[in-house]
Short mmCIF file of all heavy atoms in Angstrom, two decimals:
data_model
loop_
_atom_site.label_atom_id
_atom_site.label_comp_id
_atom_site.label_asym_id
_atom_site.label_seq_id
_atom_site.Cartn_x
_atom_site.Cartn_y
_atom_site.Cartn_z
N LYS L 19 -10.07 -2.10 -0.77
CA LYS L 19 -11.19 -2.46 -1.65
C LYS L 19 -12.39 -1.56 -1.37
O LYS L 19 -13.01 -1.03 -2.30
CB LYS L 19 -11.57 -3.93 -1.43
CG LYS L 19 -12.68 -4.40 -2.33
CD LYS L 19 -12.99 -5.87 -2.09
CE LYS L 19 -14.14 -6.27 -2.99
NZ LYS L 19 -14.79 -7.48 -2.55
N GLU L 20 -12.68 -1.36 -0.10
CA GLU L 20 -13.79 -0.48 0.28
C GLU L 20 -13.54 0.95 -0.21
O GLU L 20 -14.45 1.60 -0.75
CB GLU L 20 -13.95 -0.49 1.80
CG GLU L 20 -15.07 0.40 2.31
CD GLU L 20 -15.15 0.42 3.83
OE1 GLU L 20 -14.70 -0.55 4.49
OE2 GLU L 20 -15.68 1.41 4.37
N GLY L 21 -12.32 1.43 -0.05
CA GLY L 21 -11.97 2.78 -0.51
C GLY L 21 -12.13 2.94 -2.00
O GLY L 21 -12.60 3.98 -2.48
N LYS L 22 -11.76 1.90 -2.75
CA LYS L 22 -11.93 1.94 -4.22
C LYS L 22 -13.41 1.94 -4.58
O LYS L 22 -13.85 2.72 -5.43
CB LYS L 22 -11.26 0.72 -4.86
CG LYS L 22 -9.80 0.90 -5.14
CD LYS L 22 -9.31 -0.33 -5.89
CE LYS L 22 -7.97 -0.07 -6.51
NZ LYS L 22 -7.52 -1.18 -7.35
N GLU L 23 -14.18 1.04 -3.95
CA GLU L 23 -15.61 0.93 -4.27
C GLU L 23 -16.35 2.22 -3.98
O GLU L 23 -17.30 2.56 -4.68
CB GLU L 23 -16.23 -0.22 -3.47
CG GLU L 23 -15.82 -1.59 -3.96
CD GLU L 23 -16.26 -2.72 -3.03
OE1 GLU L 23 -16.81 -2.45 -1.94
OE2 GLU L 23 -16.03 -3.89 -3.41
N GLN L 24 -15.93 2.94 -2.94
CA GLN L 24 -16.61 4.18 -2.58
C GLN L 24 -16.01 5.41 -3.25
O GLN L 24 -16.44 6.53 -3.02
CB GLN L 24 -16.58 4.35 -1.05
CG GLN L 24 -17.39 3.29 -0.33
CD GLN L 24 -17.35 3.47 1.17
OE1 GLN L 24 -16.97 4.53 1.70
NE2 GLN L 24 -17.75 2.44 1.89
N GLY L 25 -15.00 5.20 -4.10
CA GLY L 25 -14.42 6.30 -4.87
C GLY L 25 -13.38 7.13 -4.14
O GLY L 25 -13.02 8.21 -4.60
N TYR L 26 -12.91 6.65 -3.00
CA TYR L 26 -11.90 7.40 -2.25
C TYR L 26 -10.48 7.03 -2.64
O TYR L 26 -9.55 7.77 -2.37
CB TYR L 26 -12.07 7.18 -0.74
CG TYR L 26 -13.35 7.78 -0.21
CD1 TYR L 26 -14.43 6.97 0.09
CD2 TYR L 26 -13.47 9.16 -0.04
CE1 TYR L 26 -15.61 7.51 0.57
CE2 TYR L 26 -14.65 9.71 0.44
CZ TYR L 26 -15.71 8.88 0.74
OH TYR L 26 -16.88 9.43 1.21
N ILE L 27 -10.32 5.86 -3.25
CA ILE L 27 -9.01 5.42 -3.73
C ILE L 27 -9.10 5.26 -5.24
O ILE L 27 -10.08 4.72 -5.76
CB ILE L 27 -8.59 4.08 -3.07
CG1 ILE L 27 -8.38 4.28 -1.57
CG2 ILE L 27 -7.32 3.52 -3.71
CD1 ILE L 27 -8.03 3.01 -0.81
N ASN L 28 -8.09 5.73 -5.92
CA ASN L 28 -8.03 5.66 -7.38
C ASN L 28 -8.25 4.21 -7.83
O ASN L 28 -7.48 3.32 -7.49
CB ASN L 28 -6.66 6.17 -7.83
CG ASN L 28 -6.52 6.21 -9.33
OD1 ASN L 28 -7.26 5.58 -10.07
ND2 ASN L 28 -5.53 6.96 -9.78
N LYS L 29 -9.31 3.99 -8.63
CA LYS L 29 -9.66 2.64 -9.09
C LYS L 29 -8.61 2.07 -10.04
O LYS L 29 -8.57 0.87 -10.25
CB LYS L 29 -11.03 2.66 -9.77
CG LYS L 29 -12.14 2.93 -8.79
CD LYS L 29 -13.50 2.95 -9.48
CE LYS L 29 -14.52 3.47 -8.51
NZ LYS L 29 -15.60 2.71 -8.19
N GLU L 30 -7.78 2.92 -10.59
CA GLU L 30 -6.76 2.44 -11.53
C GLU L 30 -5.53 1.87 -10.81
O GLU L 30 -4.72 1.18 -11.43
CB GLU L 30 -6.33 3.59 -12.46
CG GLU L 30 -7.46 4.04 -13.37
CD GLU L 30 -7.09 5.25 -14.20
OE1 GLU L 30 -5.88 5.56 -14.33
OE2 GLU L 30 -8.01 5.92 -14.69
N LEU L 31 -5.41 2.14 -9.50
CA LEU L 31 -4.29 1.58 -8.75
C LEU L 31 -4.53 0.09 -8.51
O LEU L 31 -5.60 -0.29 -8.05
CB LEU L 31 -4.14 2.27 -7.39
CG LEU L 31 -3.62 3.70 -7.39
CD1 LEU L 31 -3.65 4.26 -5.97
CD2 LEU L 31 -2.21 3.76 -7.94
N SER L 32 -3.54 -0.71 -8.83
CA SER L 32 -3.71 -2.15 -8.62
C SER L 32 -3.48 -2.49 -7.14
O SER L 32 -2.71 -1.82 -6.45
CB SER L 32 -2.71 -2.94 -9.47
OG SER L 32 -1.40 -2.77 -9.00
N GLU L 33 -4.17 -3.53 -6.71
CA GLU L 33 -3.97 -4.00 -5.34
C GLU L 33 -2.52 -4.43 -5.15
O GLU L 33 -1.93 -4.20 -4.11
CB GLU L 33 -4.91 -5.18 -5.04
CG GLU L 33 -4.78 -5.68 -3.62
CD GLU L 33 -5.74 -6.81 -3.31
OE1 GLU L 33 -6.96 -6.63 -3.48
OE2 GLU L 33 -5.25 -7.87 -2.89
N GLU L 34 -1.96 -5.02 -6.18
CA GLU L 34 -0.57 -5.47 -6.13
C GLU L 34 0.38 -4.29 -5.84
O GLU L 34 1.28 -4.40 -5.01
CB GLU L 34 -0.18 -6.15 -7.44
CG GLU L 34 1.22 -6.70 -7.45
CD GLU L 34 1.58 -7.34 -8.79
OE1 GLU L 34 0.84 -7.18 -9.78
OE2 GLU L 34 2.63 -8.00 -8.83
N ALA L 35 0.17 -3.16 -6.51
CA ALA L 35 1.03 -1.99 -6.31
C ALA L 35 0.84 -1.42 -4.90
O ALA L 35 1.83 -1.06 -4.24
CB ALA L 35 0.72 -0.92 -7.35
N MET L 36 -0.40 -1.36 -4.43
CA MET L 36 -0.65 -0.83 -3.08
C MET L 36 -0.02 -1.73 -2.02
O MET L 36 0.60 -1.24 -1.07
CB MET L 36 -2.15 -0.65 -2.85
CG MET L 36 -2.74 0.48 -3.68
SD MET L 36 -4.48 0.82 -3.32
CE MET L 36 -5.28 -0.59 -4.07
N LEU L 37 -0.16 -3.05 -2.18
CA LEU L 37 0.43 -3.97 -1.21
C LEU L 37 1.95 -3.93 -1.28
O LEU L 37 2.62 -4.04 -0.25
CB LEU L 37 -0.09 -5.39 -1.43
CG LEU L 37 -1.54 -5.61 -1.00
CD1 LEU L 37 -1.99 -7.02 -1.34
CD2 LEU L 37 -1.74 -5.32 0.48
N PHE L 38 2.50 -3.76 -2.48
CA PHE L 38 3.94 -3.62 -2.63
C PHE L 38 4.43 -2.41 -1.83
O PHE L 38 5.43 -2.48 -1.11
CB PHE L 38 4.33 -3.48 -4.10
CG PHE L 38 5.80 -3.31 -4.32
CD1 PHE L 38 6.65 -4.40 -4.34
CD2 PHE L 38 6.35 -2.04 -4.50
CE1 PHE L 38 8.02 -4.24 -4.53
CE2 PHE L 38 7.70 -1.87 -4.68
CZ PHE L 38 8.55 -2.98 -4.70
N TYR L 39 3.71 -1.31 -1.94
CA TYR L 39 4.06 -0.09 -1.22
C TYR L 39 4.00 -0.32 0.30
O TYR L 39 4.90 0.09 1.04
CB TYR L 39 3.11 1.04 -1.63
CG TYR L 39 3.44 2.36 -1.01
CD1 TYR L 39 4.43 3.17 -1.55
CD2 TYR L 39 2.76 2.83 0.11
CE1 TYR L 39 4.75 4.41 -0.99
CE2 TYR L 39 3.07 4.05 0.68
CZ TYR L 39 4.06 4.83 0.13
OH TYR L 39 4.37 6.04 0.69
N ILE L 40 2.95 -1.00 0.76
CA ILE L 40 2.80 -1.30 2.18
C ILE L 40 3.95 -2.18 2.68
O ILE L 40 4.55 -1.91 3.71
CB ILE L 40 1.43 -1.97 2.45
CG1 ILE L 40 0.30 -0.97 2.22
CG2 ILE L 40 1.37 -2.54 3.87
CD1 ILE L 40 -1.08 -1.58 2.14
N HIS L 41 4.27 -3.22 1.92
CA HIS L 41 5.36 -4.12 2.31
C HIS L 41 6.70 -3.37 2.32
O HIS L 41 7.53 -3.59 3.21
CB HIS L 41 5.45 -5.32 1.36
CG HIS L 41 4.28 -6.24 1.43
ND1 HIS L 41 3.68 -6.63 2.60
CD2 HIS L 41 3.59 -6.86 0.44
CE1 HIS L 41 2.67 -7.44 2.34
NE2 HIS L 41 2.59 -7.59 1.04
N MET L 42 6.89 -2.52 1.34
CA MET L 42 8.13 -1.75 1.26
C MET L 42 8.28 -0.85 2.50
O MET L 42 9.35 -0.79 3.12
CB MET L 42 8.10 -0.91 -0.02
CG MET L 42 9.37 -0.13 -0.31
SD MET L 42 9.26 0.73 -1.91
CE MET L 42 7.87 1.84 -1.64
N LEU L 43 7.20 -0.19 2.88
CA LEU L 43 7.20 0.67 4.05
C LEU L 43 7.47 -0.15 5.31
O LEU L 43 8.30 0.22 6.15
CB LEU L 43 5.85 1.40 4.15
CG LEU L 43 5.69 2.44 5.24
CD1 LEU L 43 6.72 3.56 5.08
CD2 LEU L 43 4.28 3.02 5.20
N LYS L 44 6.81 -1.29 5.45
CA LYS L 44 7.01 -2.16 6.61
C LYS L 44 8.46 -2.63 6.70
O LYS L 44 9.07 -2.58 7.76
CB LYS L 44 6.07 -3.36 6.54
CG LYS L 44 6.27 -4.36 7.68
CD LYS L 44 5.70 -5.71 7.39
CE LYS L 44 6.36 -6.48 6.32
NZ LYS L 44 7.62 -7.13 6.64
N ASP L 45 9.00 -3.07 5.58
CA ASP L 45 10.39 -3.56 5.58
C ASP L 45 11.37 -2.46 5.96
O ASP L 45 12.33 -2.70 6.68
CB ASP L 45 10.76 -4.15 4.21
CG ASP L 45 10.05 -5.46 3.93
OD1 ASP L 45 9.51 -6.08 4.88
OD2 ASP L 45 10.03 -5.88 2.75
N TYR L 46 11.13 -1.26 5.49
CA TYR L 46 12.02 -0.14 5.80
C TYR L 46 11.95 0.21 7.29
O TYR L 46 12.96 0.46 7.94
CB TYR L 46 11.67 1.06 4.93
CG TYR L 46 12.64 2.21 5.08
CD1 TYR L 46 13.95 2.11 4.63
CD2 TYR L 46 12.25 3.38 5.71
CE1 TYR L 46 14.84 3.15 4.78
CE2 TYR L 46 13.13 4.44 5.86
CZ TYR L 46 14.43 4.32 5.40
OH TYR L 46 15.31 5.36 5.56
N ILE L 47 10.73 0.22 7.83
CA ILE L 47 10.53 0.59 9.23
C ILE L 47 11.20 -0.41 10.17
O ILE L 47 11.59 -0.07 11.28
CB ILE L 47 9.02 0.72 9.54
CG1 ILE L 47 8.47 1.99 8.87
CG2 ILE L 47 8.74 0.77 11.03
CD1 ILE L 47 6.97 2.12 8.94
N GLN L 48 11.38 -1.64 9.73
CA GLN L 48 12.00 -2.66 10.58
C GLN L 48 13.50 -2.46 10.76
O GLN L 48 14.09 -3.09 11.64
CB GLN L 48 11.75 -4.06 9.99
CG GLN L 48 10.33 -4.52 10.18
CD GLN L 48 10.13 -5.89 9.59
OE1 GLN L 48 10.19 -6.06 8.37
NE2 GLN L 48 9.87 -6.86 10.43
N ARG L 49 14.12 -1.62 9.99
CA ARG L 49 15.57 -1.39 10.11
C ARG L 49 15.85 -0.57 11.36
O ARG L 49 15.18 0.43 11.62
CB ARG L 49 16.09 -0.70 8.85
CG ARG L 49 15.97 -1.60 7.63
CD ARG L 49 16.18 -0.92 6.32
NE ARG L 49 17.32 -0.03 6.30
CZ ARG L 49 17.62 0.74 5.26
NH1 ARG L 49 16.88 0.69 4.17
NH2 ARG L 49 18.66 1.53 5.29
N GLU L 50 16.85 -0.98 12.12
CA GLU L 50 17.12 -0.34 13.41
C GLU L 50 17.40 1.15 13.29
O GLU L 50 16.88 1.95 14.07
CB GLU L 50 18.30 -1.03 14.11
CG GLU L 50 18.52 -0.50 15.51
CD GLU L 50 19.55 -1.29 16.30
OE1 GLU L 50 20.10 -2.28 15.77
OE2 GLU L 50 19.81 -0.89 17.43
N GLU L 51 18.16 1.55 12.29
CA GLU L 51 18.47 2.98 12.15
C GLU L 51 17.23 3.80 11.80
O GLU L 51 17.19 5.01 12.00
CB GLU L 51 19.58 3.22 11.13
CG GLU L 51 19.21 2.94 9.68
CD GLU L 51 19.38 1.49 9.22
OE1 GLU L 51 19.57 0.61 10.07
OE2 GLU L 51 19.29 1.26 8.01
#
């Protein structure tokens, strides 16, 4: 939110999409291989 307000993060990106990306990365990293 801070990054969007200060113009460092694209304001058109939804929070839902960014959190989806974060969760996807977290879930992938949890795999042993």
Side-chain angles (χ1 to χ4, degrees):
K19 182 179 178 199
E20 179 183 336
K22 275 185 165 186
E23 288 171 355
Q24 294 180 16
Y26 293 104
I27 294 177
N28 183 342
K29 291 180 191 238
E30 294 174 18
L31 289 175
S32 70
E33 182 178 304
E34 182 181 12
M36 290 185 287
L37 287 176
F38 179 82
Y39 184 81
I40 291 167
H41 294 318
M42 185 176 62
L43 186 59
K44 177 199 68 77
D45 290 344
Y46 186 69
I47 288 172
Q48 286 180 293
R49 294 168 45 185
E50 187 172 358
E51 69 274 12

